[in-house]
Amino acid sequence: MRKLFNAVSFAQYLQKQVVKAGDIVIDATAGKGFDTVFLARQVGTDGHVYAFDIQAEAIMWTCERIREAGLAERVTLCQAGHEEILLHVDRPVRAAMFNLGYLPGASHDVITRPATTVQAVQAVLQLLQAGGLVTLVIYTGHAGGSEERREIEHYAASLPQRQFTVARYELINQVNNPPLVLAIEKLPEERVLL
Ligand code: SAH
């Protein structure tokens, strides 16, 4: 069995360590719904997934996939930009997954953009519980991808070390610009020593 995962599998591997039955989680880029289904299985019957995408096509794909898997009751689909997450989710979340770039098979003009992606991560970090995890799978092979990577990494690298641990996972011997993972873990609240 392979030990060094590709980016998408590594993001799921990390999420599996964190997301448990009963958790509330976010799929910030529903796309074709693979991560939504993955998260819905992880949270069990008592948990819930909020899945966001701006494209009707992505919402339809995801809707069909969760229905086929019998998981629709555990998922709220929001056709909205993830930068508006705080308008739709008002409770603490254990984890969030981002899979950036464009929807495979659809127009490459509709892509995630650095400014709104950073806004969305900021919003998610406000909702994130201590011990919670955010993963971002970042693509650099399309126009605008490298800029997005740069801006997100710049933002993530500036997060305070006392509150967050930020890591990058990347395969470095491959052609065709493989995606990479950024992972942000929120640390337990600091205790104020009196
Ligand atoms: N590149 C991945 C799939 C990414 S899908 C792969 O190869 O598997 C990325 C999704 O993000 C698309 O469905 C797109 O519609 C969505 N998206 C773009 N901007 C968004 C935004 N502001 N908020 C939420 N979703 C967005």
Side-chain angles (χ1 to χ4, degrees):
M1 199 182 96
R2 284 175 59 169
K3 303 289 189 298
L4 292 177
F5 301 103
N6 66 30
V8 169
S9 304
F10 187 68
Q12 292 195 349
Y13 165 79
L14 290 178
Q15 292 286 350
K16 267 192 194 161
Q17 320 301 312
V18 173
V19 180
K20 303 287 182 231
D23 283 345
I24 310 301
V25 300
I26 293 173
D27 182 351
T29 49
K32 296 213 162 165
F34 293 109
D35 285 337
T36 306
V37 167
F38 162 76
L39 287 170
R41 292 210 168 103
Q42 288 295 119
V43 299
T45 43
D46 294 335
H48 204 77
V49 184
Y50 292 90
F52 290 83
D53 207 292
I54 46 172
Q55 292 192 77
E57 192 184 335
I59 295 294
M60 268 150 54
W61 272 105
T62 305
C63 187
E64 212 170 294
R65 204 144 264 155
I66 54 176
R67 271 206 206 136
E68 276 170 9
L71 299 167
E73 276 180 24
R74 305 177 193 179
V75 179
T76 300
L77 294 173
C78 307
Q79 191 181 342
H82 42 218
E83 61 279 9
E84 294 183 348
I85 273 172
L86 296 179
L87 299 178
H88 300 267
V89 185
D90 62 355
R91 48 182 175 158
V93 301
R94 177 76 66 199
M97 297 182 82
F98 290 75
N99 188 326
L100 305 178
Y102 54 83
L103 179 66
S107 162
H108 292 198
D109 294 337
V110 185
I111 52 173
T112 54
R113 309 261 170 196
T116 41
T117 303
V118 168
Q119 270 179 44
V121 175
Q122 279 173 328
V124 162
L125 293 183
Q126 283 185 44
L127 295 172
L128 197 65
Q129 296 168 342
L133 178 75
V134 179
T135 53
L136 298 108
V137 175
I138 304 174
Y139 297 77
T140 57
H142 62 285
S146 298
E147 291 72 24
E148 187 170 44
R149 171 188 184 161
R150 202 168 47 240
E151 292 199 29
I152 295 164
E153 284 193 349
H154 180 74
Y155 165 71
S158 76
L159 289 169
Q161 179 179 349
R162 284 163 180 254
Q163 280 176 278
F164 301 98
T165 302
V166 183
R168 176 171 59 210
Y169 174 87
E170 179 173 22
L171 302 178
I172 61 169
N173 69 330
Q174 312 215 339
V175 292
N176 301 334
N177 304 303
L180 62 134
V181 179
L182 268 198
I184 306 171
E185 181 180 1
K186 190 167 190 174
L187 301 171
E189 304 270 316
E190 262 184 282
R191 305 244 160 148
V192 181
L193 296 172
L194 295 173

